[in-house]
Amino acid sequence: MTETAITVHQTARPHGFPTPGHFAFAESAVPEPRPGTALVENLYWSVDPYHREMMDGDFALNAPLEGRALGRVVESRDPAFREGEILFHRQGWRTHSVVTPEEARKVPHFDGVPLSAHLSILGGTGLTAYVGLTRIAQLRAGQDVFVSAAGGGVGTATGRLARLMGAGRLVGSAGRAAKAAYLTEHVGYDEVFDYHAGPTAELLAKAAPDGIDLYMDNVGGEHLEAAISSLREFGRIVRIGTISQYNSTGTPYALRNLPDIVEKSLRMEGFLVSNYRDVQEELYEFVVPHLQSGSVTLDETLVDGFGGIVDGFLGMLRGENQGKIIVRATGAGI
Ligand code: NAP
């Protein structure tokens, strides 16, 4: 184990897009676990769009940030933890964390499944897609689905899961042509458009000329307006996130076709995955056999080394990730 611990702090509130200057890496001695806690050396970190929202006020300045992480117990002072065990906890953005049994849970081992999957399709990202499709959308076989930010963590998981659940035509949007090609070649999308290529409503109408039954909305704004126009009668909108607005400094996008929601009897519902932790085991049962057989593969962008965590986070906001972005400790080895 290293002698020094490193934590990432936010040092200033961004106006618009954050930069590396809004963060600092702080060194300290490796913390000592108190009785009733364990010291964890972190191996994998998740950086997420919600961190950008928290930068506006929820994250304290000049204090260690929080985030989802996987780490190995290196010293235990509680019978609930054994040295060597792998834990999931929320004290990320730091090389070492001290956790109580209430703050951490053991990560199950599944033969042949890489540990990083617990931050991508088996973690909160995959659970968001699974809950969105099963609990909120109540997807039925044959229904045609549109997914925005399709090339990201939630978007790739949504594509994989919707395909397994028997969705009909699967259309996505993404910010780069290379992502679009990956999604149709590997993830199961039928057609993906680059939303920079023109007005989203026109691009969606071209990609789904017969309309859609369901919209999985990771983006909001112009994408949501386009989806409302393309939805068929009794269609559903699952509001997952609003990434088009997290860095915006202007007035929020005003939807111009709200009357369509009434006229087409559409249903729109949002959710937070944190309210669906009880679905975690069901997700494992559904997805793990597919990971083990190879019928589902991981969609991940791995950033090597804790020192890359800020750049990885900023790159994700710019759309540089393909699948779930995960930062991996140098030499994580598992
Ligand atoms: P992600 O999709 O892996 O990464 C974010 C992606 O958003 C980027 O790669 C980028 O891809 C796209 N993007 C950035 N700016 C955009 C813009 N202005 N317009 C359209 N797309 C833009 O992130 P994720 O973790 O999977 O999260 C996706 C969404 O789900 C986010 O809105 C997040 O807040 C939400 N979420 C919600 C819950 C919940 O509980 N409801 C849980 C997890 C995530 P492009 O190349 O396509 O631009």
Side-chain angles (χ1 to χ4, degrees):
M1 195 174 71
T2 52
E3 300 288 305
T4 311
I6 305 173
T7 55
V8 178
H9 300 182
Q10 183 186 341
T11 55
R13 303 277 175 223
H15 183 67
F17 228 95
T19 68
H22 291 100
F23 298 91
F25 286 82
E27 282 192 15
S28 60
V30 171
E32 293 277 338
R34 307 171 304 280
T37 68
L39 173 64
V40 174
E41 188 169 29
N42 293 321
L43 301 170
Y44 291 91
W45 298 267
S46 176
V47 287
D48 293 272
Y50 82 84
H51 289 135
R52 173 63 192 88
E53 295 184 277
M54 293 189 73
M55 288 183 77
D56 288 334
D58 294 321
F59 277 153
L61 295 182
N62 303 306
L65 302 183
E66 65 96 303
R68 295 180 291 133
L70 300 169
R72 184 187 283 116
V73 176
V74 288
E75 191 180 340
S76 174
R77 298 200 60 195
D78 189 282
F81 299 122
R82 274 187 296 117
E83 283 168 25
E85 264 173 357
I86 302 293
L87 302 182
F88 168 88
H89 63 86
R90 305 196 67 91
Q91 294 183 39
W93 293 81
R94 62 195 92 179
T95 55
H96 299 77
S97 306
V98 173
V99 295
T100 64
E102 293 73 38
E103 291 168 339
R105 71 173 164 83
K106 285 171 207 165
V107 170
H109 169 78
F110 300 113
D111 283 341
V113 178
L115 191 54
S116 60
H118 291 278
L119 291 181
S120 59
I121 195 160
L122 296 182
T125 298
L127 192 61
T128 301
Y130 187 80
V131 166
L133 289 168
T134 59
R135 301 305 195 272
I136 315 298
Q138 298 176 10
L139 175 71
R140 294 192 304 278
Q143 288 187 316
D144 297 327
V145 183
F146 170 48
V147 184
S148 54
V154 172
T156 49
T158 303
R160 299 263 181 197
L161 298 176
R163 207 21 99 227
L164 292 174
M165 292 169 189
R169 185 167 166 78
L170 203 46
V171 171
S173 71
R176 291 161 196 232
K179 272 192 205 178
Y182 173 81
L183 292 167
T184 50
E185 282 163 31
H186 301 287
V187 179
Y189 280 88
D190 294 298
E191 189 160 338
V192 179
F193 61 84
D194 178 347
Y195 64 85
H196 297 111
T200 313
E202 284 175 25
L203 297 166
L204 177 58
K206 202 167 150 219
D210 299 326
I212 54 174
D213 298 303
L214 169 62
Y215 173 44
M216 303 292 286
D217 185 18
N218 291 306
V219 167
E222 195 185 336
H223 270 83
L224 177 54
E225 185 175 276
I228 290 171
S229 292
S230 278
L231 275 158
R232 300 182 186 128
E233 207 178 14
F234 306 115
R236 284 175 187 246
I237 298 161
V238 178
R239 291 281 299 119
I240 304 170
T242 318
I243 194 152
S244 66
Q245 289 174 24
Y246 298 164
N247 290 301
S248 167
T249 52
T251 324
Y253 191 91
L255 300 174
R256 291 167 296 184
N257 55 357
L258 277 176
D260 286 6
I261 294 188
V262 178
E263 281 149 28
K264 292 198 271 186
S265 302
L266 305 180
R267 182 181 292 185
M268 177 155 76
E269 184 177 346
F271 72 103
L272 287 174
V273 69
S274 50
N275 292 324
Y276 290 86
R277 294 291 166 219
D278 57 324
V279 185
Q280 182 68 56
E281 287 299 321
E282 188 182 314
L283 175 71
Y284 289 154
E285 278 167 32
F286 186 72
V287 178
V288 169
H290 291 285
L291 289 171
Q292 291 176 323
S293 72
S295 56
V296 168
T297 52
L298 297 180
D299 305 300
E300 297 176 347
T301 294
L302 290 170
V303 173
D304 270 313
F306 181 70
I309 193 165
V310 169
D311 288 343
F313 169 63
L314 299 176
M316 177 274 296
L317 294 178
R318 286 191 295 266
E320 288 166 12
N321 58 314
Q322 187 165 274
K324 173 70 187 120
I325 184 152
I326 296 169
V327 182
R328 171 171 61 184
T330 307
I334 50 174

